Amino acid sequence: MQVPTAPTPTPGPDSPKDSPRGSPGLFRKLLVNQSIRLQRRFTVAHPLCFDLDNGLSCRRSALDPQSGSGLGRVVQAPGQHSQRRESFLYRSDSDYELSPKAMSRNSSAASELHGEDMIVTPFAQVLASLRTVRSNVAVLAHLQGHKAAKQASIGNPPSGSQPPPPPEDTGQQLVLETLSELDWCLDQLETLQTRHSVGEMASNKFKRMLNRELTHLSETSRSGNQVSEYISQTFLDQQTEVELPGGTPTEPLRPMSQISSLRGLPHSASLSTATIPRFGVQTDQEGQLAKELEDTNKWGLDVFKVAELSGNRPLTAIIFSIFQERDLLKTFQIPADTLVTYLLTLEGHYHADVAYHNSLHAADVAQSAHVLLATPALEAVFTDLEVLAAIFASAIHDVDHPGVSNQFLINTNSELALMYNDTSVLENHHLAVGFKLLQAENCDIFQNLSTKQRLSLRRMVIDMVLATDMSKHMNLLADLKTMVETKKVTSLGVLLLDNYSDRIQVLQNLVHCADLSNPTKPLPLYRQWTDRIMAEFFQQGDRERESGLDISPMCDKHTASVEKSQVGFIDYIAHPLWETWADLVHPDAQDLLDTLEDNREWYQSKIPHSPVDPVSPERGGPDRFQFELTLDEAEEEEEEERMLAQEASESPDTELLSAEARPDPRDLGLDNQRTMGKPCVDHEGNVMAEPFGT
């Protein structure tokens, strides 16, 4: 929705001539600020059309249904989020920031400067300040000229009705030159690409602020320190140096060029169009499955129920339904039997004995991405090829996940870490397996794409899956927030996605949000995901203990506080990300923010107020030992910590998952997935304290 340009009113008869409000320049500034306050929602802007294959095109109208998508959205200034809590990004960065930008977003001064919402990314702050300076200079110039004209008219009244000539003194000339310089600076800044160095300004600032928050958290208690260390190592791209134990690698040697773990279809591949089931899977509960899949377009689909009704094939059933819903089989001439064959083969390469990063998680991420793509704010923005790439990237983004983190693979000198040079190890492997499976018999679902389309899709999928490396989280967040705020400041909210960099940036964050969407789901689903991710963490910790490695943060079942890990994850990772996404698609994600806050409060309420005495007879002795400490407790004595750790290590079955009784991680099967068999552990390349994937 374009913002109507209001006519510039002239001062009324009751307006003092010397009042700043009588200045047309200031009045225009006030109108701009008012329009920014009143508008935040992005709507699709259609000045041009964008084709990923052909770039900008002026031959087709963006409103033409054949044109596929619009270029972008109109960023409108959001209203206040009622009483919703804001993330740490809006706190003062006072150690480094001495400008008025450090004030509260909702202060009167901040509202006058930048609308109701505070600007927090450095580049957008520079633009906002320059615009304020220019406006102030324009007002001063108007006042100076008006005052000089008034004095001249008093000293030498003009004859007739001729107005006095404008003064041409040195001060006025200096003001005009200053305005000209400011206009040039603004033009230059507004045309800069914000994807790289400018985005790094915000990324470095946010990392600095997060480090300060984590420092405070780590000083509160032992468990707070563990949560802080986990977030730092997982989301801040900080590699830890470990001393490797002696011994020889347990993995069999194989050629470095070989993509590991490719297996054939675990059942008959002789599918034909005539024998394709309604949802791509054989089940005697098709009616119930159909009823459950009616919620495919809704946030919070119960993928656990879908798995139960689909014969433990939730990924195949959900992706097949999404392709049919979006008519992608017809658009890209994908044979139905080829799609089902590929999906079954892909799902067979997810490990059923990994508690979290299995086909259930892939199905959940793909369905979440499907819903986010359909949000009213984005429904006409992306082309069919971009939508296909996003759904495909979501489906393959964790395939063949071993249940351990990137850092674990690096620390153990795994073959994958060697192959990918310790860089986004699992993400690169997921991509290699996902694309390699297309070469299997009757699995090439992209066989009818043109060469150009195929290359474009591959480029987008690679960019999206690599962005699921959680160590890149702060960079993604900073880039998105910088883009949104910069467009908001520079062009009254018009966000034109007219180049690949901006478009893929939004798609990367969309898949990233889907990957970190568990805390925004209904609490019963969220709790199941939490149980699963913690089961992976604890099993990785067991492997590290057996191998003589340092146990990764949140992976020690004797010391981890699940509730605090979730509160910390929401406060420092999920909330800032979803808050920024909600700004992009306002008001479409407001319900998700409310659910996120409710879930955070639930886990906060489950944190016990005091630790349990491990040797108290009435509590059953060491077998019921718990390490949970509240964030406001002081650190215990060093000697006591060693004693407690020794007692805990003597009770291998001791687990503290929450204040409530939780099931054993090995019983988290939910019919289609069990944690028995292969040791399932942490998440892909980055240990996460929350049920979401890499």
Side-chain angles (χ1 to χ4, degrees):
M1 178 175 63
Q2 296 291 342
V3 179
T5 303
T8 303
T10 57
D14 298 330
S15 175
K17 293 184 178 181
D18 291 306
S19 170
R21 295 232 174 230
S23 161
L26 179 59
F27 196 88
R28 281 194 296 272
K29 171 178 178 283
L30 295 174
L31 284 178
V32 168
N33 285 344
Q34 184 181 28
S35 67
I36 290 177
R37 293 191 192 99
L38 293 177
Q39 304 178 45
R40 170 88 166 218
R41 175 183 167 76
F42 297 165
T43 54
V44 181
H46 291 289
L48 298 168
C49 59
F50 184 88
D51 187 299
L52 191 65
D53 292 340
N54 304 313
L56 292 174
S57 170
C58 298
R59 295 185 300 239
R60 295 184 300 184
S61 165
L63 298 177
D64 184 345
Q66 300 299 321
S67 63
S69 80
L71 271 179
R73 307 190 10 75
V74 176
V75 183
Q76 299 178 350
Q80 294 182 349
H81 299 161
S82 63
Q83 300 300 316
R84 186 180 292 117
R85 189 173 56 92
E86 292 171 333
S87 73
F88 74 91
L89 300 182
Y90 292 98
R91 296 174 191 166
S92 170
D93 189 23
S94 56
D95 291 347
Y96 298 86
E97 203 169 56
L98 301 180
S99 70
K101 308 301 177 299
M103 67 184 71
S104 168
R105 292 171 82 200
N106 295 321
S107 68
S108 59
S111 298
E112 283 297 317
L113 283 173
H114 307 303
E116 292 297 327
D117 272 327
M118 185 61 189
I119 302 298
V120 299
T121 53
F123 183 70
Q125 289 176 339
V126 171
L127 290 177
S129 289
L130 283 176
R131 289 201 170 278
T132 301
V133 170
R134 191 201 183 283
S135 178
N136 291 344
V137 171
V139 172
L140 292 173
H142 176 80
L143 292 178
Q144 183 179 2
H146 188 76
K147 182 177 181 180
K150 182 177 181 180
Q151 291 176 347
S153 64
I154 294 176
N156 186 18
S159 58
S161 60
Q162 296 296 324
E168 296 291 344
D169 58 18
T170 305
Q172 185 75 358
Q173 184 64 29
L174 183 61
V175 166
L176 294 176
E177 290 177 1
T178 303
L179 287 173
S180 177
E181 289 295 316
L182 283 171
D183 287 338
W184 182 87
C185 289
L186 287 167
D187 288 341
Q188 298 301 308
L189 289 172
E190 291 172 9
T191 56
L192 287 178
Q193 291 290 325
T194 62
R195 175 67 168 158
H196 297 294
S197 58
V198 171
E200 289 173 4
M201 293 168 60
S203 177
N204 291 335
K205 173 186 174 181
F206 292 169
K207 288 178 181 178
R208 185 173 66 240
M209 296 174 68
L210 179 56
N211 271 323
R212 189 172 58 194
E213 295 286 331
L214 296 180
T215 298
H216 296 330
L217 177 61
S218 66
E219 293 172 350
T220 58
S221 69
R222 178 175 41 195
S223 56
N225 181 70
Q226 186 173 155
V227 173
S228 173
E229 185 180 1
Y230 156 75
I231 293 175
S232 177
Q233 291 187 15
T234 302
F235 298 98
L236 291 181
D237 200 14
Q238 296 182 355
Q239 303 299 323
T240 56
E241 296 183 359
V242 297
E243 183 177 349
L244 299 178
T248 58
T250 57
E251 293 187 15
L253 295 178
R254 59 178 178 270
M256 288 289 290
S257 60
Q258 176 181 341
I259 300 175
S260 63
S261 302
L262 293 184
R263 301 179 294 277
L265 196 63
H267 48 273
S268 174
S270 58
L271 296 172
S272 64
T273 304
T275 61
I276 297 298
R278 179 181 176 186
F279 300 109
V281 295
Q282 296 287 353
T283 174
D284 56 1
Q285 303 181 82
E286 190 172 276
Q288 293 176 268
L289 179 60
K291 183 176 179 61
E292 202 67 37
L293 289 176
E294 290 177 357
D295 292 336
T296 299
N297 298 332
K298 299 178 182 178
W299 195 256
L301 171 70
D302 189 346
V303 294
F304 302 106
K305 188 67 174 178
V306 172
E308 178 184 333
L309 298 173
S310 63
N312 301 328
R313 296 290 177 186
L315 181 61
T316 300
I318 288 175
I319 297 295
F320 193 73
S321 297
I322 291 174
F323 271 54
Q324 291 179 315
E325 173 73 20
R326 291 186 171 273
D327 207 20
L328 294 176
L329 288 87
K330 179 180 179 181
T331 301
F332 295 103
Q333 302 177 48
I334 302 173
D337 61 314
T338 302
L339 177 60
V340 171
T341 301
Y342 177 78
L343 291 176
L344 290 172
T345 304
L346 176 69
E347 189 151 20
H349 282 75
Y350 276 91
H351 298 186
D353 56 358
V354 169
Y356 182 83
H357 292 99
N358 48 45
S359 65
L360 265 173
H361 169 66
D364 181 61
V365 172
Q367 190 267 338
S368 299
H370 163 67
V371 175
L372 293 177
L373 284 165
T375 191
L378 297 177
E379 59 184 353
V381 171
F382 296 109
T383 66
D384 289 336
L385 189 64
E386 289 169 323
V387 170
L388 176 65
I391 300 300
F392 181 74
S394 301
I396 72 170
H397 87 282
D398 270 334
V399 63
D400 199 37
H401 197 297
V404 295
S405 67
N406 279 335
Q407 194 61 48
F408 180 90
L409 296 175
I410 294 169
N411 292 346
T412 55
N413 285 327
S414 73
E415 183 77 4
L416 286 178
L418 293 173
M419 180 179 291
Y420 297 114
N421 301 314
D422 296 352
T423 303
S424 298
V425 177
L426 284 170
E427 291 75 21
N428 277 296
H429 181 59
H430 302 324
L431 283 164
V433 174
F435 279 106
K436 183 68 175 178
L437 291 177
L438 292 171
Q439 300 175 7
E441 182 181 357
N442 196 30
C443 282
D444 188 2
I445 61 177
F446 304 132
Q447 59 188 273
N448 292 318
L449 269 62
S450 68
T451 301
K452 193 171 185 180
Q453 284 179 318
R454 197 169 181 125
L455 290 174
S456 296
L457 179 138
R458 177 169 166 80
R459 178 188 181 189
M460 289 187 288
V461 171
I462 290 173
D463 285 343
M464 281 185 269
V465 174
L466 289 180
T468 63
D469 182 347
M470 290 301 158
S471 68
K472 313 302 180 188
H473 165 78
M474 293 304 293
N475 292 334
L476 276 175
L477 173 61
D479 285 343
L480 180 66
K481 199 160 191 68
T482 296
M483 182 177 73
V484 171
E485 291 191 344
T486 299
K487 299 299 183 182
K488 188 182 356 175
V489 169
T490 60
S491 51
L492 271 183
V494 178
L495 179 60
L496 291 178
L497 302 180
D498 57 356
N499 59 78
Y500 178 80
S501 179
D502 286 348
R503 297 175 78 81
I504 195 62
Q505 183 179 343
V506 174
L507 288 172
Q508 285 174 320
N509 277 279
L510 183 146
V511 174
H512 185 47
C513 283
D515 203 14
L516 303 188
S517 64
N518 296 151
T520 68
K521 300 294 176 63
L523 182 60
L525 298 179
Y526 179 26
R527 292 182 64 188
Q528 291 188 67
W529 291 122
T530 300
D531 289 343
R532 286 174 171 271
I533 195 65
M534 296 311 299
E536 275 198 23
F537 287 174
F538 293 159
Q539 291 183 24
Q540 173 170 318
D542 291 344
R543 291 180 64 178
E544 290 170 330
R545 185 182 293 107
E546 293 169 0
S547 301
L549 296 171
D550 290 339
I551 300 178
S552 300
M554 298 309 305
C555 292
D556 190 339
K557 62 187 178 184
H558 302 302
T559 63
S561 170
V562 176
E563 291 75 21
K564 287 179 188 174
S565 75
Q566 295 308 298
V567 172
F569 169 75
I570 291 175
D571 282 350
Y572 302 120
I573 304 301
H575 187 185
L577 175 66
W578 279 101
E579 182 181 60
T580 303
W581 181 261
D583 282 351
L584 180 72
V585 300
H586 186 85
D588 299 334
Q590 298 307 301
D591 290 344
L592 305 188
L593 288 180
D594 292 338
T595 302
L596 179 69
E597 188 69 11
D598 291 342
N599 288 340
R600 189 245 184 222
E601 292 306 314
W602 187 88
Y603 272 104
Q604 178 69 41
S605 71
K606 298 303 177 182
I607 298 177
H609 296 292
S610 61
V612 177
D613 182 1
V615 296
S616 176
E618 59 271 21
R619 296 188 180 275
D623 287 340
R624 292 182 57 85
F625 176 75
Q626 295 184 341
F627 261 114
E628 293 192 277
L629 304 174
T630 56
L631 294 181
D632 58 350
E633 290 181 296
E635 292 286 333
E636 296 184 358
E637 294 295 328
E638 197 70 20
E639 184 64 22
E640 183 181 357
E641 289 185 22
R642 286 196 294 269
M643 292 175 61
L644 295 181
Q646 181 179 358
E647 289 182 25
S649 64
E650 294 173 356
S651 302
D653 295 331
T654 301
E655 292 186 5
L656 168 61
L657 289 185
S658 72
E660 301 176 348
R662 290 185 183 272
D664 189 286
R666 302 182 185 278
D667 295 329
L668 287 173
L670 282 166
D671 296 336
N672 68 314
Q673 317 267 356
R674 300 195 64 83
T675 60
M676 301 173 64
K678 293 184 184 178
C680 16
V681 215
D682 167 32
H683 131 183
E684 129 162 347
N686 311 286
V687 183
M688 328 195 44
E690 160 358 56
F692 47 74
T694 84

